[in-house]
Amino acid sequence: MKPVRWGILGAANFAKEQMAPAIHAAKGAELAALATSSPEKAAGFLAFCPGLKIHSTYEALLADPTIDAVYVPLPNHLHVEWTLKALTAGKHVLTEKPIALQASEIDQIIAARDASGLLAAEAYMIVHHPQWQLAKKWLEAGEIGTLRHVDAAFTYCLTDMENIRNRPEAGGGSLRDIGVYTFGSARFVTASEPVDIAARLILENGVDTFAQVSGIMDGPHGRFTYESITSMRLYNRQVVTFQGDKGMIRLDGGPFNANYNDIAEIELHQNGNKVITERFPTANHYVLQVEAFGRSVREGVAYPCPLEFIRGTQAMIDTVFKVGVEITL
């Protein structure tokens, strides 16, 4: 089957280090073009993909008739604009998270997607990883009994104040950067939505550097309590637990950055001190994401993480900003 030919808008470090190599390695994909006006930045991509075509502008890449799909790793506040431009140019588009800064903005992307018949998606890679799919399978199989509580934490310490995550005009803050993981992972595994939310936020220079969220979620597994902590000022920590009345599913060691800090691992704890551990040392969720995207484009397979799901997570973030109480420690 003909591979999907990819172009990348902008030579972001994350694109160079993660997504461009993933596109280059994925089955059914070909990394074909990059848009950047910087020869120095282009050099990092050409080092592992020497045949890459370099366009000096984003518009030139979108006008390239040989490109089927584009990946958008631009700063958060530019995501909606260039996602829509890519669709208008007739390109399938995978945009880095968050694809929008408000849930309502995603509606226009969905409308453009439907009108064009093209695939538009947010690069929410974790749902493609087997550890998260196994968590969902275990929960649905009743391995932990009745679900009672979910808690998630994602923290790291960012001291570079010039980083776009520390800039409000660029859509910075912990919730938009990593809240999509603590919220979205709970929604994905449980297929549930929040019915009550409370939050405490610490703001610095107009961005949330800490968010403590609690609430109640409801779905096919009934109602359960939920807690989340995100921060850009704490030591690295990533952990998610799903607790039932007969067991617990725990993802630790970097479940949102699988095999980066530690080997991807998931544990099933059950009565009688029984623990089942599954490890995934070779699974690359970025590669799996690109391959899933390609199957949807070439074979018409339903994309595992549609924009409608992404909108739900953004709506949850919107609510936290609305109800959150600013605190000072």
Side-chain angles (χ1 to χ4, degrees), residues 46-255:
L46 291 167
F48 63 86
C49 190
L52 195 64
K53 184 177 181 179
I54 307 299
H55 291 285
S56 60
T57 68
Y58 303 156
E59 290 85 357
L61 188 148
L62 292 182
D64 186 337
T66 70
I67 298 302
D68 302 309
V70 296
Y71 167 62
V72 181
L74 300 172
N76 293 347
H77 66 296
L78 298 176
H79 288 177
V80 173
E81 175 187 356
W82 286 99
T83 299
L84 293 174
K85 286 182 176 179
L87 290 171
T88 299
K91 311 299 185 187
H92 303 281
V93 57
L94 179 66
T95 301
E96 198 48 60
K97 53 81 191 164
I99 197 169
L101 301 182
Q102 298 286 334
S104 58
E105 294 179 315
I106 300 177
D107 294 335
Q108 61 183 312
I109 301 176
I110 291 174
R113 175 203 67 186
D114 293 347
S116 67
L118 298 165
L119 175 59
E122 181 182 272
Y124 193 60
M125 73 292 186
I126 68 168
V127 300
H128 304 280
H129 196 285
Q131 66 178 338
W132 289 103
Q133 295 166 1
L134 182 56
K136 189 176 183 71
K137 179 181 178 181
W138 277 343
L139 180 65
E140 292 175 348
E143 296 289 356
I144 64 171
T146 301
L147 180 64
R148 300 296 191 194
H149 179 74
V150 176
D151 60 82
F154 191 170
T155 66
Y156 62 92
C157 192
L158 180 64
T159 58
D160 177 10
M161 299 308 295
E162 297 302 315
N163 188 286
I164 59 173
R165 295 170 181 83
N166 278 319
R167 291 164 45 192
E169 73 277 9
S174 75
L175 285 168
R176 286 179 172 135
D177 186 38
I178 53 180
V180 294
Y181 295 121
T182 58
F183 296 172
S185 61
R187 292 182 60 248
F188 172 72
V189 172
T190 69
S192 301
E193 300 294 346
V195 294
D196 180 70
I197 295 178
R200 297 177 179 179
L201 310 176
I202 295 177
L203 302 181
E204 297 179 23
N205 301 318
V207 299
D208 63 288
T209 58
F210 174 89
Q212 180 185 49
V213 179
S214 61
I216 297 172
M217 299 185 74
D218 192 18
H221 303 284
R223 290 198 168 191
F224 56 91
T225 54
Y226 171 80
E227 291 182 273
S228 163
I229 290 177
T230 58
S231 178
M232 306 191 302
R233 298 292 187 267
L234 293 175
Y235 182 75
N236 294 351
R237 182 162 74 105
Q238 298 182 27
V239 61
V240 184
T241 59
F242 301 85
Q243 291 181 267
D245 57 355
K246 297 180 180 179
M248 175 179 72
I249 299 168
R250 179 180 175 88
L251 296 97
D252 205 345

Side-chain angles (χ1 to χ4, degrees), residues 234-299:
L234 293 175
Y235 182 75
N236 294 351
R237 182 162 74 105
Q238 298 182 27
V239 61
V240 184
T241 59
F242 301 85
Q243 291 181 267
D245 57 355
K246 297 180 180 179
M248 175 179 72
I249 299 168
R250 179 180 175 88
L251 296 97
D252 205 345
F256 303 121
N257 296 119
N259 297 333
Y260 181 76
N261 296 319
D262 202 353
I263 292 177
E265 180 177 288
I266 181 172
E267 297 175 348
L268 173 61
H269 296 249
Q270 295 176 309
N271 292 333
N273 295 320
K274 179 182 178 182
V275 180
I276 297 173
T277 303
E278 295 286 347
R279 296 182 176 87
F280 305 89
T282 61
N284 184 310
H285 48 204
Y286 300 115
V287 172
L288 294 171
Q289 175 180 242
V290 173
E291 292 177 347
F293 193 97
R295 286 192 294 272
S296 294
V297 168
R298 291 298 188 225
E299 302 173 27

